[in-house]
Amino acid sequence: MQNQEILALSARDLASAVRSRALTVRTITEAYLKHIDDTDRPVMAWQHLDADQALASADAMDRQGVTGLLAGVPIGVKDVIDTADMPTGYGTSIYCGFRPPWDAACVQNARNAGGLILGKTVSTELAMASPNKTRNPHDPAHTPGGSSSGSCAAVAAGMVPMAYGTQTSGSVIRPASFCGVTAFKPSFGLINTVGIKVLCHSLDTLGIITRNIGDAAHCASALSGWSDLENPTPPARPRIGILTGTRLDKAESCSIEAVERLAAIAEAAGAETTVIPAPAWFDGIFDLHEAVMGWEVTHSLASEIARNWDGLTPVTRAMLEEQGRVDGIRYRSAMAEIPGIRHLMDAILSRFDAVLTLAAPGEAPKGMATGDPLFNRLWSVLQVPLVCLPVTKGPQGLPVGVQLVGARGSDHRLLSAAQFLETALAAKGGIQ
């Protein structure tokens, strides 16, 4: 099989080919390393990539006769996730070269499922807002978004079929939209986050970035142990809600039009669509996220603030100063209010298989600033499952995605609806 044929295979097909011995892990790894060598120079998606180490791991897996759901699948791991055999710098110069003595749970569980950890992808500093070196693969003059910049860019450029991101505000869904890739942020707690640099213990969630819904579901099943996530079956007539929400003055028309386009495609394919007015209490969720993130980030990063303040970038220091204005009274008040708001929103979301809303304000901005997570952060504080589905292109020819939202714990239902929408979109010619 030629390299281009290997690169075109889904993660599921790669794993199947390895298990059946139709492909070796080394052959797959060589194909991806060659593609990275050919394409990464303008993108700069990788923080650490050792080709010799990757090939040695592939050879060891071939000798062992690797099996599992992720057999032989190359995986990019965001550089805020611990790896014992690779440096983990958390996106900041203050930890350059740090070697954790352990693998994060999601890394070890991927290895247990036969996955090959190819390398570490670039993160913004401490998974916050200060950009790093990665550029958008569609146009290097534009940001890939953040904080999961390297993971989204690597998948978009075909350098890896699957990568890990993390989301506290919008760090998986927004860069996925900017880079034109599929992403799945599961319900809070579905996938273990031990060994991931903590920002907000109440919000931090591992996300999976892939080229299609089936691969995202496949990986989520392997990491979570929830076998019902694998092979999502599209419903015959899904119930799709449309909730564009508030603060739309911050959105470009192309982002709103992407939601409208996907809703029209869904309806034409047989879905039942319903426009959902934003409840009176909806806009207040933004303030709840701000209160939780402000208090928890400044406490989670207490050591960096006390010991390494001068080593942090000005963007990070400014963000931490802003977050530090949240006091304990505001935080406790928000934490007391959030459970009721989550139940109210679950009552709305549970009526639908998926709710469509904005994934980002618009196309990836020019320059390196990572973009505004405005349209993601309220869903993050609600702890609901999210999918980013690439839908269209904006006026500058850059991708624009749509965010799909489900009720807490309804991950399989959301993925099944996302599969329906992905298929319907492909039948209409895909991204255009």
Side-chain angles (χ1 to χ4, degrees):
M1 189 179 290
Q2 299 297 312
N3 278 6
Q4 289 305 313
E5 295 175 292
I6 293 171
L7 297 174
L9 293 174
S10 70
R12 290 158 293 162
D13 288 340
L14 287 171
S16 178
V18 169
R19 288 192 298 267
S20 69
R21 306 297 185 263
L23 283 174
T24 64
V25 183
R26 184 183 181 93
T27 300
I28 294 168
T29 306
E30 286 177 335
Y32 274 98
L33 289 173
K34 176 64 167 61
H35 186 64
I36 291 168
D37 191 53
D38 291 342
T39 60
D40 189 48
R41 186 175 300 275
V43 179
M44 296 180 282
W46 297 92
Q47 187 66 36
H48 174 86
L49 183 66
D50 184 327
D52 291 337
Q53 181 183 18
L55 291 171
S57 296
D59 289 340
M61 294 166 72
D62 284 329
R63 287 193 299 271
Q64 294 163 6
V66 66
T67 59
L69 286 178
L70 301 177
V73 176
I75 300 171
V77 174
K78 183 178 178 180
D79 192 37
V80 295
I81 302 173
D82 289 338
T83 44
D85 58 351
M86 300 176 189
T88 302
Y90 309 111
T92 176
S93 62
I94 66 176
Y95 293 126
C96 182
F98 174 64
R99 299 294 292 261
W102 48 71
D103 280 336
C106 61
V107 172
Q108 186 59 58
N109 286 333
R111 297 189 200 272
N112 293 347
L116 183 139
I117 306 304
L118 190 65
K120 304 300 287 289
T121 55
V122 170
S123 170
T124 61
E125 186 170 49
L126 299 169
M128 295 176 74
S130 184
N132 209 311
K133 63 183 179 179
T134 305
R135 268 60 175 170
N136 193 304
H138 297 274
D139 185 342
H142 291 252
T143 180
S147 61
S148 304
S149 48
S151 289
C152 290
V155 172
M159 299 180 202
V160 71
M162 180 180 295
Y164 292 166
T166 60
Q167 179 157 316
T168 305
S169 292
S171 291
V172 168
I173 300 298
R174 185 178 78 266
S177 179
F178 286 169
C179 292
V181 291
T182 300
F184 174 48
K185 186 207 80 70
S187 294
F188 178 81
L190 184 81
I191 298 174
N192 194 296
T193 57
V194 169
I196 299 175
K197 180 66 171 170
V198 176
L199 282 185
C200 294
H201 60 268
S202 300
L203 305 178
D204 293 347
T205 308
L206 181 81
I208 300 164
I209 299 128
T210 59
R211 295 183 295 215
N212 57 66
I213 294 297
D215 279 356
H218 188 79
C219 183
S221 176
L223 296 182
S224 68
W226 287 84
S227 59
D228 64 342
L229 294 178
E230 194 176 354
N231 299 321
T233 303
R237 185 170 168 75
R239 289 177 291 175
I240 303 296
I242 302 102
L243 200 172
T244 50
T246 60
R247 308 196 183 189
L248 295 180
D249 59 309
K250 304 293 186 182
E252 299 169 22
S253 59
C254 62
S255 199
I256 299 170
E257 289 164 3
V259 174
E260 293 170 345
R261 177 175 187 242
L262 188 58
I265 288 172
E267 189 168 6
E272 176 188 339
T273 61
T274 304
V275 174
I276 308 168
W281 41 264
F282 183 87
D283 199 72
I285 304 173
F286 292 98
D287 294 331
L288 297 177
H289 180 277
E290 185 177 282
V292 173
M293 186 166 179
W295 180 262
E296 292 192 3
V297 162
T298 47
H299 283 73
S300 296
L301 300 181
S303 176
E304 288 81 3
I305 292 169
R307 298 170 180 267
N308 301 103
W309 182 255
D310 291 340
L312 299 173
T313 65
V315 172
T316 299
R317 292 200 300 266
M319 187 172 180
L320 287 170
E321 287 172 345
E322 178 68 26
Q323 304 279 7
R325 296 190 176 98
V326 174
D327 61 23
I329 294 173
R330 184 181 173 194
Y331 172 69
R332 289 191 297 273
S333 175
M335 292 297 284
E337 185 179 352
I338 284 170
I341 294 292
R342 285 176 181 155
H343 285 298
L344 288 172
M345 187 57 77
D346 281 342
I348 295 172
L349 297 174
S350 62
R351 293 160 41 204
F352 302 95
D353 297 298
V355 171
L356 312 185
T357 190
L358 282 68
E363 293 173 285
K366 197 166 187 177
M368 292 308 296
T370 58
D372 191 344
L374 178 68
F375 297 110
N376 315 116
R377 57 167 59 119
L378 79 162
W379 302 111
S380 292
V381 80
L382 293 170
Q383 299 184 339
V384 295
L386 305 171
V387 166
C388 178
L389 196 63
V391 170
T392 190
K393 291 183 178 178
Q396 299 179 84
L398 295 172
V400 179
V402 170
Q403 185 171 211
L404 318 182
V405 185
R408 283 181 299 170
S410 64
D411 298 64
H412 180 264
R413 188 179 176 195
L414 177 64
L415 288 167
S416 296
Q419 185 68 74
F420 175 93
L421 293 167
E422 182 183 77
T423 301
L425 184 64
K428 287 293 185 180
I431 300 175
Q432 51 185 250

